[in-house]
């Protein structure tokens, strides 16, 4: 199958079968909730470029479910009251990101449990799994994602969502370190801007795993798996 | 003090004092050992661009020690026999990186405990601390680095070493998630190439912490601390 | 102040001040929910002896809040559908505990998210903190308890709840390993039976921290702190 | 096969086959080094009762290796200089255990890297695996034991060593939480005294896994496996 190496799309050698095999694969969608995607001026942590992937992620999830691939939706949630962040050790992005994008007026409301900002924009089907309580950049921290993947018997993860150059990249690093084979879908992730998005995908392709388009991965799954998941 | 935001050097606002304060700061140097830096053709995981920072890192460490900042040297070590990697779940980079740089003939010898490849190229002073057993990309996994930082009472870490777009970046993500304030020294880290190095530093400056030159940080420490470390 | 050493109540030497100081202390109550305490024959994981501590824990929490000590309530919750346990890698207790107590008819319903079994029996005050998603024996796994304690700046934890010889003991081990000073309140924890409860407290007193009565700890806090929490 | 339930030896039901199967099983020996077992009056952390299991553990390891079961030896090691413990956040046992056993004159030398106290008393064969850097009570903290077990593809662990009521028990809790099936060999572990040893084994049998005699486990392995390890 084809994947991106650095920024060039190429045929991947046979050894990559262990990354893109259908068996024991889990799809993980990162932070596609209103807190990043809302068009409301009060959106507490805007990632507007990622609105473009919502429909594609939904379509990918439909296909994944049909092939028996579990779908996990990860979302950031912080305890109301701020103890986890603004009143504890504040997340670094609150201090650094405004240097680049300017003041974020409603950032204090980001990810607060029970608020509308934690609602998923993507479709969550019955049988999908939710990982709540992502509190920093990695989907693994401090959540039960690794625990869940162990209980699912997962060996491979396929990542979508936002943002490519922070939470997706950090999650890809952690998943790879933990021994999972990682694929990131280039058409279903979005970064801060085109430059950092492309650079993050290049890093992933060099150090972490497969960067591919969702259509190519689904074609590979269908070819190899014929719809049967061991 | 000045730092890089995205790629532009700017004056940082006062709030960044909590990142660059001298107190409770630890310097962490990542993977500056022969396995990456040797000029031997058998070098198992070459990162030749990082040879340029060895002298600068040594000078920074001399200054840090004088100011009472503990210096930690992290290195990759894998059990002889390969159970941790080539005969277990092989590191992803062994499969992905050759797509970009071509075959790495002696990669199987990378980081093997007891081999010369694990010897530090930078100077290790008496009183410095060593974190052995980095086995994947992050200096935190599966090592005792977080345990050590807790016992040191560390609140801030300053990162140097290689490579900016994989191990340094992954370590910066993890340190920030764990609540440490992170500074990465732009002149004392090196990446795969100039493009990915610059992109990784831009990501760090937007999402994780301070990117600065070592001279500026030392000047800030001397100005603020007057050599006294609380 | 007095504490239990093995099974004997004795005056503790001055060095134990660092365990029982009021400052940076957090009270943690473990698994005092309907899933363990309900008198319903359908109770999925009965710990009937622990019903006796509910009132005492409530009183202790009232006093703790007055002294400015944050109160954390930990509870087991498992995803509906069973993927975390009965349909994943089943918890060992499901297999081992019935050898001793006989078949537990409704064990499959234990801790299911959204069920009444996850409701706290103890009083949860506004401002208290909840740690959801304990899924095995330790309150730290796979939860955000350590993350929360870091954000609270906690140095000391005081444990109550059930059961002394499994979840309380496992939590005490983990907290101590992570560097928190641990006190377990002998009158506010209950074990499987008197023998294992006494033995678990003896182990804690020898290897982990302070075992004391709640009245003695509160008296110590009032004496030392005079109600002011640094 | 037979195991102990609470303190009574009984036939275990068929479901326990998943605990005592030979496949994907790893033997883990905990802290059988000179720092605990030496008869020298300077022994920094004496566990004299555990001297009795050294020969039995050696014999068990010989049999395990013949059946293809990897043998892991875990040992405590602390950085020379004391930063990990006496000069950091001192281990709780240093403060609590002397209340019971009296002053331990040379405790400061416990587990110091490079000292004779870290030498194994049990036989370490070529091909055995060593986990260094246990720094508190659990063999998992802050070591790479879980990482190693993942790379070995382990599903089951068999624990021996000392002491039953602290490090063995804490390790058994952690291994079980992480999803490994745990067996503790009653004849090859020793506790602080007979009472706490028996109580710890009872707790393990009720909440964590199988408590059995090594002869019974080896007979089961030979019966089932006929020497072939999948």
């Amino acid at each position: 199958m084809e994947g991106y190496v650095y920024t060039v799309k190429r045929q991947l050698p046979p050894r990559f079968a262990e990354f893109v095999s259908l068996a024991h694969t889990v799809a993980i969608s990162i932070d596609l909730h209103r807190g990043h995607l809302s068009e409301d001026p009060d959106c507490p942590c805007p990632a507007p470029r990622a609105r473009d992937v919502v429909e594609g992620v939904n379509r990918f999830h439909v296909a994944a479910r049909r092939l028996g691939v579990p779908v996990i939706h990860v979302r950031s949630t912080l305890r109301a009251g701020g103890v986890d962040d603004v009143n504890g050790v504040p997340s670094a992005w609150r201090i650094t990101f405004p240097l680049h994008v300017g003041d974020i007026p409603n950032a204090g409301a980001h990810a607060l449990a029970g608020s509308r900002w934690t609602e998923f924009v993507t479709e969550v089907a019955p049988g999908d799994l939710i990982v709540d309580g992502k509190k920093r950049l990695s989907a693994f921290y401090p959540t039960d994602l690794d625990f869940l993947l162990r209980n699912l018997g997962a060996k491979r993860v396929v990542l979508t969502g936002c943002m490519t150059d922070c939470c997706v990249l950090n999650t890809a690093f952690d998943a790879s370190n933990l021994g999972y084979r990682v694929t990131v879908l280039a058409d279903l992730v979005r970064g801060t801007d085109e430059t950092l998005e492309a650079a993050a995908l290049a890093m992933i392709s060099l150090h972490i795993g497969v960067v591919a388009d969702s259509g190519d991965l689904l074609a590979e799954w269908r070819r190899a798996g014929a719809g049967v998941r061991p």
Side-chain angles (χ1 to χ4, degrees), chain A:
Chain A
M1 120 177 207
E2 289 195 314
Y4 296 89
V5 179
Y6 214 118
T7 54
V8 180
K9 199 163 184 176
R10 289 165 47 179
Q11 187 66 27
L12 298 175
R15 186 165 184 190
F16 282 86
E18 72 166 292
F19 284 75
V20 297
S21 158
L22 180 61
H24 305 294
T25 294
V26 174
I28 301 176
S29 168
I30 300 172
D31 270 346
L32 292 175
H33 49 63
R34 297 203 185 285
H36 287 324
L37 304 186
S38 170
E39 301 192 41
D40 192 314
D42 273 350
C43 180
C45 188
R49 296 181 76 251
R51 287 176 208 142
D52 294 348
V53 304
V54 170
E55 267 202 54
V57 169
N58 283 339
R59 274 195 307 266
F60 174 67
H61 285 169
V62 168
R65 289 179 201 113
R66 270 190 203 137
L67 290 161
V69 172
V71 174
I72 297 177
H73 306 261
V74 179
R75 72 178 145 199
S76 298
T77 42
L78 298 164
R79 286 175 182 80
V83 66
D84 294 328
D85 195 327
V86 290
N87 296 326
V89 180
S91 288
W93 68 266
R94 296 180 182 281
I95 305 166
T96 55
F97 205 53
L99 292 177
H100 179 58
V101 299
D103 191 37
I104 308 172
N106 198 32
H110 178 61
L112 291 182
S115 76
R116 62 183 160 135
W117 306 116
T118 65
E119 291 165 15
F120 287 111
V121 177
T122 42
E123 290 158 14
V124 179
D128 285 3
L129 299 160
I130 292 176
V131 168
D132 257 318
K134 171 174 174 294
K135 292 186 164 63
R136 292 298 185 264
L137 301 181
S138 171
F140 287 93
Y141 188 73
T143 72
D144 70 347
L145 178 55
D146 182 46
F147 172 88
L148 177 58
L149 292 175
R150 286 187 181 217
N151 274 271
L152 288 167
K155 292 184 182 170
R156 277 165 278 279
V157 296
V158 178
L159 305 183
T160 61
C162 71
M163 293 200 302
T164 320
D165 47 305
C166 54
C167 298
V168 173
L169 179 57
N170 193 169
T171 302
F173 273 127
D174 287 0
S176 180
N177 292 338
L178 289 164
Y180 302 105
R181 292 308 184 203
V182 176
T183 296
V184 175
L185 295 179
D187 57 325
L188 299 182
V189 292
R190 285 296 181 279
T192 302
D193 58 28
E194 282 184 22
T195 304
L196 295 186
E197 180 180 303
L201 292 175
M203 293 170 193
I204 292 166
S205 76
L206 263 57
H207 308 306
I208 299 177
V210 168
V211 176
D213 287 319
S214 58
D216 290 329
L217 181 64
L218 287 172
E220 172 72 17
W221 281 355
R222 285 169 185 140
R223 194 161 40 234
V228 184
R229 188 162 172 267

